[in-house]
Amino acid sequence: MQRRQLLTLLGASSLLPLASLGGCGFQLRRQHDMAFRSIQLSGFSSTSPLATELARALEANGVTVVESSLQAAQAASAAQVPVTHVEFVAMQDTRDTLVSAKTAFGQVRTMTARSILRFEVRRGDGSVLLPASDVALVRDLSYNERDALAKQDESDALTRAMQTDIVNQVMRRLAAIKPQQLPTPPEADKATSATTR
């Protein structure tokens, strides 16, 4: 068999596992079509790994992550904040691990990992676009003192997986925002004009 034919067969056979994954519910990560063009992430700590992963996911979907509404206006070369700008406000971003089960001799047998993100999304004018909501995940992890180091690695991997799950859920919620939801509501315009008179 010639080398070219062998490579062709190998290439085709390598696609078979991917083709079979489609039938088992596995899906390759797809791009989200976002109605907004820029977003400000606020409320996170400067070292939040969740904020970092969320920012990367947003940028991978064509959304510009900015540090302020002023920066959003400058990026859009506009005199005021564009209607295609939103602010993601993290009200709670916590991760913890606690003991959930012990033996009769007080040895830890099960740990529970928890990740909670509470957030709301605001329009560029500060009005609420998506009211405060929670994404909370809880996972149990068996524990054994003799394999403490391996269990720590397993716990770290579980925490990262939960974080990615939260980011994916947030991305789906953000993708559900419709373009018609972005412009400032007429009621807000009337309230603004009434206060400036």
Side-chain angles (χ1 to χ4, degrees):
M1 185 179 290
Q2 292 182 350
R3 184 180 177 191
R4 182 176 296 177
Q5 291 174 320
L6 179 62
L7 290 175
T8 303
L9 284 174
L10 288 173
S13 64
S14 66
L15 293 177
L16 290 175
L18 288 177
S20 63
L21 285 174
C24 70
F26 175 84
Q27 290 183 341
L28 295 175
R29 184 175 294 181
R30 65 180 185 83
Q31 293 287 101
H32 294 282
D33 187 18
M34 300 295 183
F36 51 91
R37 301 273 51 90
S38 64
I39 190 169
Q40 174 187 351
L41 302 180
S42 60
F44 289 102
S45 72
S46 59
T47 58
S48 170
L50 178 60
T52 301
E53 185 170 346
L54 179 57
R56 286 179 185 152
L58 287 161
E59 289 173 345
N61 282 271
V63 178
T64 302
V65 179
V66 297
E67 295 181 5
S68 66
S69 55
L70 174 62
Q71 190 179 2
Q74 291 171 342
S77 301
Q80 57 187 13
V81 181
V83 295
T84 55
H85 172 72
V86 297
E87 181 183 5
F88 183 99
V89 183
M91 300 170 169
Q92 180 182 0
D93 172 23
T94 57
R95 284 162 293 283
D96 59 16
T97 304
L98 51 91
V99 175
S100 53
K102 290 184 177 183
T103 66
F105 301 102
Q107 294 177 315
V108 177
R109 279 295 165 257
T110 307
M111 304 288 288
T112 297
R114 299 184 304 184
S115 291
I116 302 171
L117 175 66
R118 182 173 179 78
F119 70 94
E120 74 176 18
V121 179
R122 301 172 185 166
R123 298 180 181 87
D125 65 354
S127 60
V128 175
L129 177 57
L130 294 181
S133 60
D134 298 332
V135 180
L137 297 179
V138 179
R139 300 286 186 270
D140 288 331
L141 178 69
S142 62
Y143 186 81
N144 188 328
E145 288 84 353
R146 289 175 296 179
D147 300 323
L149 187 58
K151 286 299 179 180
Q152 182 59 51
D153 291 341
E154 188 179 344
S155 176
D156 292 344
L158 178 63
T159 299
R160 288 193 298 271
M162 291 169 69
Q163 175 179 291
T164 299
D165 192 353
I166 288 177
V167 168
N168 289 337
Q169 290 189 46
V170 169
M171 291 294 289
R172 286 194 292 272
R173 295 189 193 188
L174 293 176
I177 296 173
K178 305 299 182 188
Q180 56 269 29
Q181 293 176 273
L182 293 178
T184 305
E187 294 78 14
D189 282 339
K190 291 176 185 176
T192 303
S193 61
T195 55
T196 55
R197 286 178 185 171

